[in-house]
Amino acid sequence: MATIEEITQQVTDEVEENKPLYAGTSSGLVEFTDEEYAIHIESVANFKYEQQQFGYVVTRQENYKSIGEQLDQLFWSVDSGLFGDNAKTSQWYLDIKEVKENNPKPS
């Protein structure tokens, strides 16, 4: 995984390759000032770093079944007597495990 400094350098390089960047104003397009370039680079780098660090959380949340569906799965697992190691064969456990395996936490 890249450090924030490495990502900032990547973004800086990308901005340099794509200069000039423009801001829309009431009088038309105006090239970014040095301060606006710095703010843009910092914002994009922070976004990319956070995506790298925490993107898996959002992806997992998007892939989990609804709370209602999970509670229903848990009910039927308990009702079926799935406890201890047998609980690892329940549909709820298998669904959650699949989402976690497909969207691992970065190390």
Side-chain angles (χ1 to χ4, degrees):
M1 290 187 9
T3 65
I4 187 65
E5 292 80 12
E6 291 169 331
I7 292 173
T8 300
Q9 187 58 56
Q10 285 176 331
V11 173
T12 301
D13 293 345
E14 291 169 7
V15 167
E16 288 298 322
E17 288 175 19
N18 292 298
K19 275 187 173 178
L21 299 179
Y22 296 94
T25 68
S26 59
S27 59
L29 294 177
V30 178
E31 184 177 357
F32 279 12
T33 64
D34 288 344
E35 181 180 356
E36 288 170 327
Y37 276 114
I39 291 169
H40 175 75
I41 289 168
E42 182 179 10
S43 296
V44 172
N46 285 335
F47 175 79
K48 288 184 174 191
Y49 181 75
E50 287 186 19
Q51 280 295 104
Q52 170 190 273
Q53 297 299 108
F54 307 111
Y56 77 97
V57 173
V58 173
T59 303
R60 283 184 179 180
Q61 289 171 343
E62 291 169 348
N63 285 281
Y64 286 139
K65 293 186 177 185
S66 72
I67 295 296
E69 289 178 272
Q70 289 186 45
L71 289 172
D72 190 55
Q73 288 176 330
L74 280 172
F75 170 82
W76 289 110
S77 295
V78 170
D79 195 55
S80 303
L82 295 175
F83 294 101
D85 284 339
N86 287 338
K88 292 181 180 179
T89 64
S90 74
Q91 193 60 52
W92 175 82
Y93 178 85
L94 295 172
D95 285 350
I96 297 297
K97 184 177 182 198
E98 179 181 10
V99 170
K100 289 183 178 285
E101 287 175 349
N102 290 339
N103 304 284
K105 183 177 181 179
S107 50

